[in-house]
Amino acid sequence: QLQLQESGPGLVKPSETLSLTCTVSGGSISSNRFYWGWIRQPPGKGLEWLGSIYYTGSTHFSPSLKGRVTISADTSKKQFSLRLSSVTAADTAVYFCARIGYSGFDPIFWGQGTLVTVSS
Amino acid sequence: DIQMTQSPSSLSASVGDRVTITCRASQSIGQHLSWYQQKTGKAPKLLIYAASNVESGVPSRFSGSGSGTDFTLTISSLQPEDFATYYCQQGYSNVVTFGQGTRLEIK
């Protein structure tokens, strides 16, 4: 069955770049039915979508991140990655990788999430 | 972006109560709406997709309805394990947006 697993540093210094990778098992990231994306949740707050990548390589990002986010994919490794630059304490959150339906009717399938803390 | 507004933001209820949470979209999204339940420290769990389809394994006391801009999640008879935070999410746009969440607490 499908599984998504986030990996990466749990602690990042302010002004540096946060980098996370999601490894997909039990499915292909080359499917035309799905986007692959990142969603975060600051402690005690709600869910915020950061961006998504389609198997063609096309990407969509949250306007609120003002160009700080990039998402890439390596289909041969069944991985996709998030980079968030110039981080501050406000970027401290649990980061979830996710499979998002292209049609909009398919719900989100979530990874378990990983906490990233921004602190010196 | 499509804004999703949930109400109420928090709700106190008792075991056995019928509870309704609403979600309103800033523009029509057809039935491209999902509902999730989240407990502390866990990833959100899918309850409802395409506005009214109950995910396999989800108890029948959960139901969803609506289309266009107005949607509801109903729990017909609250159980102790239902006390959690609930989120709606629209998939109509490739810019995904969530409601701000409804925290359901024990009265």
Side-chain angles (χ1 to χ4, degrees), chain B residues 6-70:
Chain B
Q6 276 182 244
S7 61
S9 296
S10 63
L11 175 60
S12 294
S14 301
V15 173
D17 283 354
R18 179 183 180 90
V19 166
T20 297
I21 299 169
T22 65
C23 183
R24 174 164 290 176
S26 60
Q27 67 182 72
S28 178
I29 59 170
Q31 293 191 305
H32 293 73
L33 185 104
S34 300
W35 289 96
Y36 303 87
Q37 175 194 69
Q38 189 181 32
K39 296 185 177 179
T40 303
K42 300 292 188 181
K45 172 188 173 184
L46 175 66
L47 299 174
I48 305 288
Y49 64 95
S52 60
N53 292 272
V54 181
E55 171 69 350
S56 175
V58 172
S60 58
R61 62 181 179 273
F62 290 91
S63 63
S65 65
S67 65
T69 60
D70 294 311

